[in-house]
Amino acid sequence: MSAETEALAEQIRQSVTLLRRHLDWDVATIRLEELNQRAEDPTLWADAAAAQVLMRERTRLATGIDAVRRLETEVEDTLGLVEMAEAESDAEMIGDGVATLKRLAEEAKLREIESLLSGEADGNNAFIEINAGAGGTEAQDWAEMMQRMYTRWAEKHGYKIEIMETSEGEQAGIKSATLMVSGPSAYGWLKTEAGVHRLVRISPFDSAARRQTSFASVYVYPEVDDTIVIDINPADLKVDTFRASGAGGQHVNKTESAIRITHVPSGIIVACQTDRSQHRNRATAMGMLKARLYEMELKKQEDAANEAAASKTDIGWGHQIRSYVLAPYQLVKDLRTNIETGNPAAVLDGELDAFMAAALAARVGATRSEASAAAR
């Protein structure tokens, strides 16, 4: 067996060993059995909040355990095929086997990083707010491109994504949008995207075809459930109704069902227009407000540990976390981790995992080797 094949196999095995240690394998498998039994209890949903907590823990454990078992099985099956191919001098099959091992090694690395998601809300669903910076149509078009980028990323990971609110641009694009991403560890992954994103390209809106720089900001905060108590004084709220906007339909722009809530002490504003019912939109918006207030408290804790809140800075020069250059050359570079790629088209189509993993590793203060050493 070639040195490359053996090295890839050993890398995957080390990752699997580390994943088992992070999961506390024996305890995790026993706990999953217990949760599976409790999930079959017909009285479970008598307490909806407790049931949701249980199901979320069950999903987290099942996802982690299934991933480890699948990695173990696939790497051994692939090694068996490579050995057979080498015995038959089948170069094509050997190449396919090595490619599979490389894919498994990359997945194992991501799983390692994901296992480090230990923040209080890392396992929760997430809200993403996208806001166009100064620059009119250019920035608004960039904000819409970012909305598509995160939508494609969510779809590739099997997450559910819902547009909670959108403010359309005058000519093209969007001024702002709020998305909800639902799935295991959605907030844990997406929180690293908070900050200002810079685009450099030849403007499609400029008849002189000049190069333009545009900015958009991303703000990410976790959904909170009923187990987290957020006290809000009704006197601190300003509630406005407005007509829903969108691509069309009989209901759009005919009734004031959309809700905007301003929390006066903090200045936080949330809006929801997903439902025809004003009451349901109000309930959803209140949930979003609680999530924003909760995230603000988490940010205070991070700031105390000298972690800057990038999403609170101006949307402009000197504050960006990532640059997307489409002209005169092709490059996407994360300015926090120096991770870069010469394929911006893939990034804009949702290929964000490498950037998220590097930023997450930096935030938790652990590289792969450091995490391995800690586990040992």
Side-chain angles (χ1 to χ4, degrees), residues 225-276:
D225 54 35
D226 293 337
T227 63
I228 300 173
V229 179
I230 306 292
D231 292 324
I232 299 177
N233 185 349
D236 292 337
L237 302 180
K238 177 185 176 185
V239 181
D240 299 304
T241 60
F242 60 99
R243 293 181 179 181
S245 61
Q250 293 182 356
H251 182 68
V252 171
N253 290 328
K254 291 190 176 180
T255 60
E256 294 190 344
S257 61
I259 292 289
R260 182 185 297 110
I261 300 178
T262 303
H263 184 249
V264 177
S266 66
I268 291 173
I269 301 174
V270 296
C272 181
Q273 60 183 38
T274 59
D275 202 283
R276 295 191 177 197

Side-chain angles (χ1 to χ4, degrees), residues 126-129 162-166 177-180 219-225 230 232 237 259-261 263 266 268-274 280-296:
F127 293 102
I128 307 174
E129 284 187 12
E162 183 179 4
I163 299 176
M164 309 302 294
E165 183 271 337
T166 304
T178 302
L179 315 177
M180 181 176 182
Y219 183 35
V220 182
Y221 52 99
E223 181 187 33
V224 297
D225 54 35
I230 306 292
I232 299 177
L237 302 180
I259 292 289
R260 182 185 297 110
I261 300 178
H263 184 249
S266 66
I268 291 173
I269 301 174
V270 296
C272 181
Q273 60 183 38
T274 59
R280 283 192 288 269
N281 282 336
R282 182 187 179 104
T284 301
M286 281 298 296
M288 294 166 65
L289 176 60
K290 289 180 179 179
R292 284 287 302 271
L293 291 170
Y294 177 63
E295 192 275 343
M296 185 172 68

